[in-house]
Amino acid sequence: MTAKMAIPEQPVNSNSETCHPEITSEILTEEKKQPWVQLISTLIETIETLSDHLNDRVTNTKQIFIAVAWIIAALTSLKLSLAVLNAINTIPFLGLFLEIIGIAYVSWFICRYLLNAAHREDLALQVKSFKEQIFGTTP
């Protein structure tokens, strides 16, 4: 005798949570997370935009800071040079001695390079070659 056993069928229920509670809870939590995900992505985009904007600002103002630093360095070196010259002038006869050396050198330079036309041309060639060494050749 072969008896057939009937497998009881599960009733089809319109409520999907009772059939597959794990799947529907994942879907519901994903739907609930959507506003937060959108908020976070908007926040990340805003931070990236702000970072790019600040980076552009820094690169633009970097040149200004460098120029200001050069001006401050030049003024500081000028003040230091004036302080050294003032200290030299307070030493007796040293300032006068250095002035005499300066006058003697200027006199020698005038006699050596500026009185004769040939020497002036030689000086002009030396100045031109010096400028080419410093600034490069000009086209």
Side-chain angles (χ1 to χ4, degrees), residues 34-54:
Q34 282 296 342
W36 290 103
V37 171
Q38 290 175 355
L39 179 66
I40 290 173
S41 65
T42 306
L43 183 64
I44 290 172
E45 289 174 7
T46 306
I47 290 172
E48 288 175 354
T49 306
L50 181 63
S51 173
D52 292 340
H53 180 69
L54 287 176

Side-chain angles (χ1 to χ4, degrees), residues 74-129:
L75 292 175
T76 304
S77 64
L78 179 67
K79 185 167 180 151
L80 184 64
S81 299
L82 290 175
V84 168
L85 287 175
N86 191 22
I88 288 174
N89 281 334
T90 58
I91 299 173
F93 298 112
L94 187 60
L96 179 64
F97 179 69
L98 292 176
E99 283 182 27
I100 291 172
I101 290 175
I103 291 171
Y105 182 76
V106 167
S107 301
W108 172 82
F109 184 82
I110 289 171
C111 290
R112 170 73 173 97
Y113 289 108
L114 300 179
L115 291 180
N116 295 333
H119 294 292
R120 284 192 300 264
E121 290 175 6
D122 184 38
L123 179 64
L125 288 174
Q126 287 179 356
V127 169
K128 185 178 179 181
S129 69

Side-chain angles (χ1 to χ4, degrees), residues 23-37:
I23 294 174
T24 55
S25 64
E26 288 177 8
I27 293 171
L28 288 175
T29 55
E30 285 180 17
E31 289 175 359
K32 288 180 182 177
K33 287 183 182 178
Q34 282 296 342
W36 290 103
V37 171

